[in-house]
Amino acid sequence: MSLPWDVDTVVKYNQVKSSKTPDNYSSLKLLMEIFKNDQNKVDQWITFVKGVKGNELKQKFINQGNDQESIDPKYDYDSRGNSNIITLQDIEKLFKDQAFKDDIMEWLRSQKLFPGDLGTAIYSQIQLDTFKKIKVALISGQVVAAGSYTYISEQTGTEEKTPDKVAGGHAYAVLAVRTTNSQNPEDSKAGKFHWVKLSNPQKSYFQKYDFRTGKFEVLKDKSNDSAQFWLELSDFTKNFSRLDIGSF
């Protein structure tokens, strides 16, 4: 899939500007679609991509790519939580005061390339596909387990190898999925918030969200011996690198 910040996109633009018809942008189909045939915005976008802010955006993709590489089994001994995952809010900050901001953000949301921040209930297509995969498996009666990253950094909202939060390098049983109409996973009304129910191998610890801070509170309940808890989908995909699905 071509992306508006790809090197090839910039090369095509440069070719147009150096041609005999530098004002004919018909070959720049992706950019003209995104910016609604506004050539001035296309020019501004390319200037942005070539500049300092564009380099900041590219660095975010490099950092995220390094995290994604750790999912590869050959790196599993040192796999780390997806702390560098890019959100729509991260990108929007880089576009501040740019005339093209609304157009590019509208396109990004429509493509579901990136999730929103925790608590926004905006998910990438990859996250939604993961949710659907779990849901289909559970409905068909299959057993689902999720493996957490070996190391989970503080940036992910969890601490490394501690029993009182998502533990690194552990398998969790996936018990259920659901959607709710609010930030409360126990809400009975279905809606846009996606949740995955897990059973904690550390038994008596589970989590409760405080969306005002974008983090969760750790609770200990001796009566909750199974330590079942709901994890918001954004946190699930950030902290877990592997799904195992099978039958009895």
Side-chain angles (χ1 to χ4, degrees):
M1 177 182 180
S2 296
L3 295 170
W5 47 80
D6 283 348
V7 172
D8 288 346
T9 301
V10 177
V11 169
K12 287 181 181 179
Y13 174 86
N14 290 338
Q15 289 173 343
V16 168
K17 299 307 287 185
S18 62
S19 71
K20 294 180 180 180
T21 55
D23 295 325
N24 183 355
Y25 285 20
S26 60
S27 62
L28 304 176
K29 294 181 180 179
L30 176 62
L31 295 180
M32 292 296 278
E33 174 192 342
I34 293 172
F35 300 112
K36 302 176 175 63
N37 296 316
D38 188 327
Q39 294 186 193
N40 288 330
K41 288 184 180 179
V42 172
D43 294 339
Q44 292 166 9
W45 170 255
I46 294 297
T47 300
F48 173 89
V49 171
K50 290 180 177 180
V52 174
K53 289 293 184 180
N55 289 332
E56 288 183 29
L57 180 62
K58 293 170 190 174
Q59 187 59 49
K60 285 184 178 294
F61 288 117
I62 291 172
N63 292 341
Q64 179 168 281
N66 291 339
D67 269 357
Q68 292 296 331
E69 186 179 62
S70 70
I71 297 174
D72 191 303
K74 67 183 178 182
Y75 296 103
D76 191 52
Y77 66 91
D78 193 30
S79 59
R80 298 179 182 276
N82 233 346
S83 58
N84 287 310
I85 191 167
I86 301 170
T87 68
L88 288 169
Q89 285 73 18
D90 292 329
I91 296 176
E92 190 166 16
K93 288 175 184 176
L94 293 177
F95 297 159
K96 184 180 179 181
D97 300 326
Q98 298 289 341
F100 56 72
K101 184 184 78 170
D102 291 344
D103 290 334
I104 189 69
M105 292 306 300
E106 179 184 341
W107 183 81
L108 287 172
R109 292 188 184 96
S110 71
Q111 298 299 306
K112 291 185 170 63
L113 293 174
F114 307 103
D117 284 343
L118 178 66
T120 62
I122 299 173
Y123 305 106
S124 69
Q125 191 59 54
I126 291 176
Q127 290 174 325
L128 293 173
D129 289 345
T130 299
F131 185 87
K132 182 178 179 180
K133 183 177 182 180
I134 296 172
K135 183 177 181 179
V136 169
L138 291 173
I139 289 175
S140 65
Q142 293 181 292
V143 177
V144 182
S148 62
Y149 285 97
T150 305
Y151 296 99
I152 300 178
S153 72
E154 292 182 1
Q155 289 173 285
T156 65
T158 60
E159 293 180 356
E160 179 180 319
K161 289 185 175 296
T162 57
D164 56 347
K165 296 185 180 179
V166 172
H170 281 266
Y172 286 67
V174 180
L175 306 179
V177 294
R178 72 181 310 181
T179 66
T180 66
N181 195 47
S182 71
Q183 295 173 339
N184 178 8
E186 303 296 340
D187 188 347
S188 60
K189 187 175 181 180
K192 61 183 181 179
F193 289 88
H194 288 55
W195 303 89
V196 180
K197 191 173 188 179
L198 302 174
S199 179
N200 190 338
Q202 300 294 335
K203 291 297 183 184
S204 59
Y205 292 88
F206 63 101
Q207 296 166 181
K208 181 179 180 181
Y209 283 93
D210 180 357
F211 283 103
R212 294 169 299 178
T213 63
K215 297 182 179 180
F216 49 74
E217 175 186 2
V218 177
L219 303 176
K220 184 174 182 180
D221 182 1
K222 293 182 179 179
S223 65
N224 183 18
D225 191 48
S226 64
Q228 297 176 9
F229 63 97
W230 289 98
L231 197 63
E232 202 264 352
L233 181 59
S234 292
D235 256 351
F236 179 79
T237 56
K238 183 181 288 186
N239 292 305
F240 289 84
S241 62
R242 178 174 177 174
L243 280 177
D244 289 308
I245 298 174
S247 303
F248 286 111

